[in-house]
Amino acid sequence: MRNLVFNNIWMICLLLLSQKVFAEKVTVGILSTSGVQRSMYSSVAREFEKANPGIQVEMLFRSDAEYKEQILQWFNEGSGPDILNWQGGERLYQHVRQGRIANLSTFWQQHDLHDKFSQAAKGAVSLDNDIYAVPVSYYQWGFYYRKSLFDSLGMQAPTDWQSFLAVCEKLKSQGVTPITIGAQYKWPTAAWFDYLNLRLNGLAYHQALLKGEIPFTDSGVRQVFEHWKELLAKGYFVDRYNGWNWQQAMPFMYHKLAGMTLIGNFFAGTLPEVLKDDFRFFPFPIINNEVAVFEEAPLDLFMIPSYARQNTSAKRFLLYLASKEFQQKFNREVGMIPPNMQSELSNDYFIQQGTKILNEAEGVSQFFDRDTNAELAGAATEIFTTFMDNKDIQAALLALEEARLNAFN
């Protein structure tokens, strides 16, 4: 009897060992910026393995700077993880054009994914009518303001440029600076350029401009700076904005010394708990009714590199990452929005608002530095910040055009 029990245990151990040895491994490269993200990805990998006993998932976590260096090494060596975490828009397209990313159009059709994802999210992973990735997470940009302040002045959130100017003027007349911004590290100014350009000229123009295909001396760009200058000339921005980082500029709203700010939804996570319920959100106002509504929404995704072997298990895990269950759980934990429209949302006000505008948007841009190359991005944010100081449109256009020529020639 003892030998029979021993033999059974031994057989079970051999069976488990054989499953471990012969399990197909899926390796996934992850750009991880927080402990919460690492914990969530590790958790879902274990859950996937339990549901798929013949598959092992190995996560390779790297910090932002490490990952951006490592991904180029994997591409150049033609060897690396089966699935890669990355970012939408031009940062994806530059690798697609070089033949580094597998076309997933058939995968999307086979699994009926088209109706599950927002048009905006699909646009950020598509190029020339083909799809190259699965979007998993994004977040909105827009204006944040104190409801009690607006109510006390009898104001509603503006929806178009004229009502936006009226709100700014009312705030200023009451001794409240309309807009706070912290541009010590320059990049927050790019949001103003992006949104003004999207509202005036549209997404296709914006993307072509940032790819170097349109000169910055074009009349469309001049319109952007004319609208921006209108706000600056009327004194609608806080003084010394370039002396603070974005977080240091926010207390102006906490104390009702400033009315609103244009920023990404990561801001909501920094709000003092006692004030959070008093903050509200509205999208960037419409300027040209003939231009479709596009939003700024940096998007994270997963893609399969062209060097990866034909690994059916990798596509099975990719399908899991596309699922409403994964996207719902992951995005609730990290405070982002699931691009899968079938996912249930958290009750968070800002997530609800962001989801609404992104699901209704015709498309999304990724943010200036993600939509162009590093050389132009670095030069342009300096030029934007200088423009906010001197309000010289012609100097800004010429400086940007010189930067474009240097970056793309």
Side-chain angles (χ1 to χ4, degrees):
M1 185 66 179
R2 184 179 297 175
N3 288 339
L4 181 61
V5 172
F6 177 80
N7 287 337
N8 287 339
I9 294 173
W10 178 244
M11 289 297 292
I12 291 171
C13 289
L14 285 176
L15 179 62
L16 292 173
L17 181 61
S18 67
Q19 286 181 341
K20 197 76 172 177
V21 170
F22 295 109
E24 187 166 22
K25 180 183 287 187
V26 176
T27 55
V28 186
I30 304 284
L31 192 165
S32 177
T33 58
S34 72
V36 173
Q37 286 182 329
R38 286 179 180 237
S39 176
M40 281 299 302
Y41 279 126
S42 296
S43 173
V44 298
R46 302 294 79 82
E47 288 178 6
F48 178 81
E49 288 176 338
K50 287 180 182 178
N52 299 270
I55 305 175
Q56 284 181 275
V57 179
E58 180 184 3
M59 298 283 185
L60 304 178
F61 293 105
R62 300 289 186 274
S63 67
D64 186 275
E66 290 174 327
Y67 192 87
K68 288 173 180 174
E69 189 174 310
Q70 183 77 71
I71 196 171
L72 293 177
Q73 184 178 331
W74 288 326
F75 285 139
N76 291 334
E77 293 177 352
S79 178
D82 301 299
I83 298 173
L84 296 173
N85 184 206
W86 197 229
Q87 298 158 342
E90 184 59 27
R91 289 199 178 172
L92 169 65
Y93 305 151
Q94 63 182 331
H95 295 307
V96 170
R97 294 190 194 100
Q98 296 180 56
R100 294 170 168 174
I101 310 301
N103 189 322
L104 294 178
S105 299
T106 301
F107 173 83
W108 273 67
Q109 290 173 347
Q110 288 174 337
H111 300 288
D112 298 320
L113 295 180
H114 285 278
D115 293 336
K116 297 175 183 177
F117 286 85
S118 68
Q119 187 61 40
K122 286 189 291 186
V125 298
S126 302
L127 185 65
D128 298 331
N129 297 317
D130 285 317
I131 299 184
Y132 291 89
V134 167
V136 294
S137 188
Y138 60 173
Y139 63 90
Q140 82 275 17
W141 275 70
F143 283 97
Y144 294 76
Y145 68 100
R146 297 283 300 275
K147 182 179 184 298
S148 59
L149 175 61
F150 272 47
D151 286 349
S152 69
L153 298 178
M155 299 189 306
Q156 300 291 324
T159 57
D160 58 33
W161 191 246
Q162 290 308 313
S163 59
F164 179 71
L165 293 177
V167 163
C168 288
E169 193 59 35
K170 182 66 174 288
L171 287 165
K172 186 181 177 185
S173 71
Q174 299 299 310
V176 179
T177 303
I179 304 162
T180 186
I181 181 175
Q184 181 180 9
Y185 299 112
K186 317 302 180 187
W187 61 265
T189 60
W192 282 91
F193 179 86
D194 284 354
Y195 258 116
L196 287 167
N197 199 28
L198 289 171
R199 291 292 185 261
L200 286 162
N201 301 307
L203 183 60
Y205 181 97
H206 184 69
Q207 291 176 332
L209 181 70
L210 270 59
K211 285 190 292 185
E213 298 171 359
I214 298 173
F216 276 91
T217 49
D218 185 75
S219 60
V221 183
R222 181 174 290 276
Q223 282 187 65
V224 169
F225 281 94
E226 287 172 350
H227 281 73
W228 200 350
K229 183 175 180 177
E230 182 178 13
L231 303 178
L232 293 164
K234 292 180 177 179
Y236 290 162
F237 287 88
V238 292
D239 295 331
R240 289 192 64 250
Y241 57 87
N242 56 4
W244 306 299
N245 63 36
W246 74 265
Q247 289 172 302
Q248 292 170 325
M250 296 305 110
F252 284 95
M253 286 196 299
Y254 302 159
H255 299 288
K256 297 185 179 180
L257 299 174
M260 50 195 167
T261 191
L262 174 62
I263 204 161
N265 195 52
F266 50 82
F267 163 71
T270 69
L271 284 170
E273 201 59 38
V274 295
L275 297 180
K276 188 170 183 179
D277 287 344
D278 190 38
F279 270 84
R280 293 293 183 269
F281 172 88
F282 66 87
F284 200 98
I286 301 300
I287 302 177
N288 183 348
N289 288 319
E290 296 181 359
V291 175
V293 177
F294 304 103
E295 301 296 340
E296 190 104 288
L299 179 141
D300 292 334
L301 55 82
F302 282 93
M303 59 191 183
I304 294 181
S306 298
Y307 64 68
R309 67 193 190 285
Q310 290 299 314
N311 184 342
T312 56
S313 296
K315 287 193 174 179
R316 186 181 297 183
F317 187 64
L318 191 66
L319 186 61
Y320 177 66
L321 295 172
S323 71
K324 65 179 182 181
E325 292 81 9
F326 164 75
Q327 297 208 4
Q328 178 178 305
K329 182 177 181 180
F330 177 79
N331 285 290
R332 281 191 178 189
E333 288 296 321
V334 300
M336 302 286 195
I337 296 169
N340 187 320
M341 296 187 296
Q342 296 181 346
S343 299
E344 291 184 14
L345 300 176
S346 72
N347 293 325
D348 181 86
Y349 164 80
F350 299 108
I351 296 296
Q352 294 276 340
Q353 293 296 305
T355 302
K356 183 177 184 296
I357 71 164
L358 295 184
N359 284 349
E360 293 174 355
E362 289 294 319
V364 295
S365 62
Q366 296 299 297
F367 201 78
F368 195 97
D369 65 338
R370 290 192 182 195
D371 282 326
T372 191
N373 64 34
E375 184 175 353
L376 179 58
T381 51
E382 290 279 354
I383 294 165
F384 296 153
T385 310
T386 299
F387 168 74
M388 290 189 70
D389 283 331
N390 63 28
K391 308 176 190 60
D392 190 331
I393 294 176
Q394 185 64 14
L397 298 178
L398 293 176
L400 284 166
E401 179 59 10
E402 182 180 357
R404 180 186 74 91
L405 294 174
N406 290 336
F408 292 102
N409 292 321

